[in-house]
Amino acid sequence: MSLVKLTVKGISYSQTQNGAYALILNEVDGERKLPIVIGAFEAQSIAIALEKEIKPPRPLTHDLFKSFADRFDIVVKQVIIHKLVDGVFYSSIICERDKIEEIIDARTSDAIALALRFSAPIFTYKNILDKSGIYLKNPNEFDNQNPDDEGVLTTPETFGLDNEGKASTDIYKSMSLSELHESLEKAVQNEDYEKAAKIRDEISKRES
């Protein structure tokens, strides 16, 4: 079976499952998207790997794995989403140490979070993409950023809505740029990455 290369296109709040997020993978040589439901923690970890400006004061689990692997000369070469059963995606992490290759089973969300930290390519099999790939009705849904920001999560919906159903980013529109930068630093120090992502989105809009 032939492999199809994917890139991380974006993350949005899941409209079908409370507390879940939809990770959108994009076919490199095509227009299909592969949506995968993931949890809030994994969504934050993937977002932080993409948002270069957000540096956690303490390493997250996937950052710790990266440090551990680096210390023992383990390299993640690629990630393959190899199976889909009852709506659940199964993935493998292809690792190498001392020229010996190993295959490790992993949840897809964990595998992708690690692939981003190792700058490793992500693949799936053509039959999986044929079965679950979709064409977004609005092709610009995740393309409202600069072309150089491909794959970076900066849409206001990335981390959902507040209790009143209004976008929780509205409050940041009235803040000055210096206040936003100060709030971003505090949010990161407090490890409130959802808030940090929203603030960084507003800063990006102002500075673009």
Side-chain angles (χ1 to χ4, degrees):
M1 292 182 289
S2 60
L3 289 172
V4 179
K5 189 174 183 180
L6 305 169
T7 59
V8 177
K9 186 64 176 177
I11 295 178
S12 65
Y13 191 79
S14 175
Q15 301 299 315
T16 59
Q17 297 187 33
N18 291 332
Y21 295 82
L23 169 66
I24 308 298
L25 301 178
N26 187 61
E27 181 182 15
V28 171
D29 296 321
E31 298 180 357
R32 288 177 295 182
K33 319 294 180 186
L34 187 66
I36 300 174
V37 176
I38 62 176
F41 172 79
E42 291 78 11
Q44 286 187 3
S45 182
I46 290 172
I48 288 171
L50 292 168
E51 297 277 3
K52 305 302 182 182
E53 296 180 16
I54 298 179
K55 301 295 183 183
R58 298 182 298 171
L60 301 181
T61 302
H62 298 110
D63 297 321
L64 177 60
F65 186 97
K66 175 65 163 57
S67 298
F68 186 91
D70 289 343
R71 183 67 59 89
F72 291 96
D73 297 322
I74 300 170
V75 177
V76 172
K77 297 183 65 178
Q78 63 183 11
V79 163
I80 300 177
I81 303 171
H82 63 83
K83 187 169 63 173
L84 173 61
V85 179
D86 296 330
V88 178
F89 292 90
Y90 293 78
S91 295
S92 295
I93 301 174
I94 314 301
C95 304
E96 184 179 85
R97 181 174 183 268
D98 294 335
K99 298 182 179 181
I100 298 175
E101 193 172 274
E102 299 285 350
I103 301 176
I104 301 174
D105 288 333
R107 295 187 306 170
T108 297
S109 54
D110 290 329
I112 291 174
L114 291 174
L116 291 171
R117 286 165 169 78
F118 282 89
S119 299
I122 303 166
F123 297 94
T124 192
Y125 289 109
K126 184 178 181 299
N127 65 323
I128 293 178
L129 193 58
D130 289 341
K131 181 178 180 180
S132 298
I134 62 172
Y135 291 92
L136 291 180
K137 293 181 180 179
N138 179 10
N140 296 320
E141 182 175 357
F142 292 101
D143 293 333
N144 57 353
Q145 305 301 317
N146 295 329
D148 293 338
D149 292 337
E150 178 70 18
V152 176
L153 311 185
T154 53
T155 58
E157 305 83 64
T158 298
F159 290 100
L161 304 175
D162 62 16
N163 293 331
E164 298 180 355
K166 299 179 181 179
S168 54
T169 52
D170 287 350
I171 188 175
Y172 304 122
K173 294 179 181 178
S174 61
M175 298 173 65
S176 67
L177 198 56
S178 60
E179 290 174 332
L180 287 171
H181 280 287
E182 183 179 349
S183 295
L184 174 61
E185 183 177 349
K186 289 181 179 179
V188 172
Q189 290 299 320
N190 293 332
E191 301 183 17
D192 188 348
Y193 302 123
E194 294 188 13
K195 181 178 180 180
K198 296 170 186 175
I199 297 173
R200 206 212 68 80
D201 174 60
E202 183 63 29
I203 292 174
S204 296
K205 291 179 181 178
R206 305 268 188 97
E207 295 181 343
S208 62

